[in-house]
Amino acid sequence: MPKHPTIPYHIESLNPEETARRGEDFLQAMSTRRTVRMFSTEPVPEEVIRRAVATAGTAPSGANLQPWTFVAVSDPALKKEIRAGAEEEERRNYGGRMSETWLDDLAHLGTDEDKPMLEDAPWLIVVFRQNTRPDGRQNYYVQESVGLATGLLLASLRLQGLATLTHTPSPMNFLCRILDRPANERPYLLIPVGYPAEDCRVPDIRRKEVEEIFVIRK
Ligand code: IYR
């Protein structure tokens, strides 16, 4: 037996049919996840958001230090302030801070500096990464850890029938101030969450085929 504390671990063994069924179901759910920019104002129960955050919190992390905080905002006054902060940065981004090449690369997505979704969506989840622990000791692989947690967050929300936008109105410092976060936290992503608007449309884009992203050597 190892010297560090351990507990037994088992997961259910699946037959090939069940393996395929579960894998294909999850692939189907994730394939229909889209980044959405047109949200309904229809409310979403807090419990749904809490479940998604609980799921995000199951992610692996450097030294299991779980260097993340998820701030969920439904207060209209706060959402308004966040929108104003984001649009101020985005006006600078679209108005010269992003290169011509960058703007060209975004043209097919139809994005601009107007961010009504930050007030329309019933929830904004702001993901913070903890650069250090609250007492100043270091965290490890913070970007990787928080990225993994955020992926699980998006997957949970999609499985619960919700749409998300992974928004990065950089720099995002304004979120520390508005949300009154401690000095060890930095904003990682701003995620509007809700149901798609009735007339919601998304860009006509394709994902790479598995063959394009997969190398197998046996
Ligand atoms: N943050 C801006 C610009 C933007 C940048 C990338 I890279 C995108 O994939 C999409 C948008 C915005 O949110 O509009």
Side-chain angles (χ1 to χ4, degrees), residues 67 129-133 137-140 142-143 183-186:
R129 61 181 167 90
Q130 300 174 355
N131 261 356
T132 67
R133 284 173 260 178
R137 283 184 297 163
Q138 68 181 314
N139 278 324
Y140 307 94
V142 172
Q143 296 286 3
N184 65 316
E185 292 188 3
R186 297 284 176 281

Side-chain angles (χ1 to χ4, degrees), residues 37 90 93-94 98 102 106 109 111-113 115 167-170:
R37 296 187 170 82
E90 295 294 20
N93 291 334
Y94 285 91
M98 290 191 286
W102 190 343
L106 291 183
L109 300 176
T111 60
D112 61 27
E113 60 269 52
K115 304 297 180 190
H167 183 31
T168 52
S170 48

Side-chain angles (χ1 to χ4, degrees), residues 57-131:
T58 68
S61 63
N64 191 37
L65 289 170
Q66 304 165 57
W68 43 61
T69 306
F70 302 87
V71 179
V73 178
S74 68
D75 174 357
L78 273 181
K79 288 199 293 180
K80 191 176 178 146
E81 226 185 308
I82 290 171
R83 176 182 178 181
E87 287 183 335
E88 189 180 325
E89 294 301 344
E90 295 294 20
R91 272 193 295 276
R92 295 202 191 113
N93 291 334
Y94 285 91
R97 222 158 37 184
M98 290 191 286
S99 65
E100 282 302 318
T101 309
W102 190 343
L103 292 171
D104 281 353
D105 283 334
L106 291 183
H108 72 295
L109 300 176
T111 60
D112 61 27
E113 60 269 52
D114 294 328
K115 304 297 180 190
M117 66 289 267
L118 295 176
E119 287 191 84
D120 292 341
W123 291 97
L124 305 177
I125 301 180
V126 189
V127 182
F128 287 88
R129 61 181 167 90
Q130 300 174 355
N131 261 356

